[in-house]
Amino acid sequence: MINYPNKKKVDQKKEVINAANRGMDFEHAINISNSFYDEEGRAIITKRPTPIHIVKVDYTKMRIIDAYFEKQSTTDYNGVYRSRYIDFECKETKSTTSFTFRNIYLHQIKHLQKVLKHGGIAFFLIYFKSLDEIYLVDANIIISLFLSSEKHSISIKELREKGYLVSQGYNPRVNYLDVVDEVYFHEKNL
C-alpha cells in the first residue's frame, strides 16, 4: 500500500492493472510507464491517436457529440529508443491458456511488417489479466502465426517459450524497456 498526501491508500498492484474497461487500464499502465521513461530521458514513446473526423461539438461542455473514424489505426504505440524506431501493439486477454488472434487485424500485421522491413523494433505486449503476467513477443513470431492458416491463437506455454516475461512495479509500472534491451540489444539495462 502507498499512502498518498490526500490520505488515500492505494494498492499498487490493483492500481496498475485493474481492468474495468478491457485493455484500457493496461494501456493506462503503459502510458504511465512511457511518461516515466520520458521523464528519465530513457525513451520517447507515445500512444498513437486513432484518426477521427469530428462532425459535431458541444462547445459549452467541450464535448464531442458526433464523430467517426477516418481510417483504421495501425498500432498502439511508437517512438524512439536508443536511436531505433520502436512500434508495438498492446493486447489483453482474460484467458489463462492462450491468446486468440481475433483481436489482431490484418492492417496491424501489415504495418508491423513494414516496420520490420525498415529495420524498426516491432513487438506485441500481451497481458494475461487472470494470471497477472505480461509477455513481450517479437512481431515476427505473431505475424508468422497469424498468417498461418492453421493457427488462431498462441498458447501460454508457447508465449512462455517464445516470449519474455515483463516485470511490473511502481516506476515504471510495466518495465518493458529492460526486456527490449535484452531482446533487441542483447543486454540488460543497468
Side-chain angles (χ1 to χ4, degrees):
M1 288 288 208
I2 294 178
N3 290 316
Y4 284 97
N6 65 359
K7 307 273 193 249
K8 182 179 178 184
K9 291 183 180 183
V10 177
D11 183 334
Q12 290 176 17
K13 200 144 190 123
K14 288 181 184 171
E15 184 190 37
V16 171
I17 302 169
N18 181 7
N21 296 322
R22 189 166 185 250
M24 294 309 290
D25 287 332
F26 179 43
E27 286 188 4
H28 179 69
I30 298 296
N31 293 342
I32 290 170
S33 299
N34 289 340
S35 292
F36 174 79
Y37 290 141
D38 185 27
E39 289 167 13
E40 294 291 308
R42 189 166 174 197
I44 179 75
I45 300 166
T46 56
K47 174 89 171 103
R48 182 179 279 131
T50 303
I52 62 168
H53 178 77
I54 299 171
V55 177
K56 186 176 179 183
V57 177
D58 180 349
Y59 289 103
T60 61
K61 296 180 182 176
M62 295 305 295
R63 189 176 351 176
I64 297 171
I65 304 298
D66 190 17
Y68 61 88
F69 296 114
E70 286 182 347
K71 61 180 182 175
Q72 294 174 323
S73 184
T74 51
T75 53
D76 291 329
Y77 295 92
N78 69 332
V80 178
Y81 178 56
R82 295 179 66 172
S83 301
R84 295 269 311 270
Y85 178 76
I86 188 169
D87 202 307
F88 62 96
E89 179 69 16
C90 293
K91 296 295 184 183
E92 180 177 329
T93 182
K94 292 180 183 178
S95 173
T96 58
T97 58
S98 66
F99 170 73
T100 179
F101 297 147
R102 274 188 299 229
N103 295 324
I104 299 175
Y105 303 99
L106 186 58
H107 70 275
Q108 293 174 319
I109 294 295
K110 289 180 178 181
H111 172 76
L112 290 171
Q113 286 176 315
K114 290 178 188 177
V115 170
L116 292 167
K117 177 184 173 188
H118 292 285
I121 294 171
F123 57 88
F124 285 80
L125 287 178
I126 301 174
Y127 176 52
F128 280 78
K129 180 181 160 189
S130 299
L131 301 173
D132 195 28
E133 294 177 2
I134 300 170
Y135 291 91
L136 183 147
V137 185
D138 184 76
N140 284 306
I141 293 167
I142 299 296
I143 290 167
S144 176
L145 293 171
F146 181 90
L147 296 175
S148 165
S149 60
E150 300 144 16
K151 294 289 279 184
H152 301 287
S153 65
I154 184 169
S155 71
I156 187 68
K157 182 180 181 216
E158 286 178 284
L159 274 171
R160 288 176 175 156
E161 291 170 0
K162 297 176 181 181
Y164 300 83
L165 185 64
V166 177
S167 65
Q168 300 176 63
Y170 181 66
N171 267 332
R173 299 245 176 132
V174 179
N175 193 8
Y176 68 91
L177 283 186
D178 280 358
V179 179
V180 169
D181 282 337
E182 182 182 339
V183 175
Y184 299 100
F185 297 98
H186 306 293
E187 61 186 55
K188 292 249 182 195
N189 187 22
L190 301 175

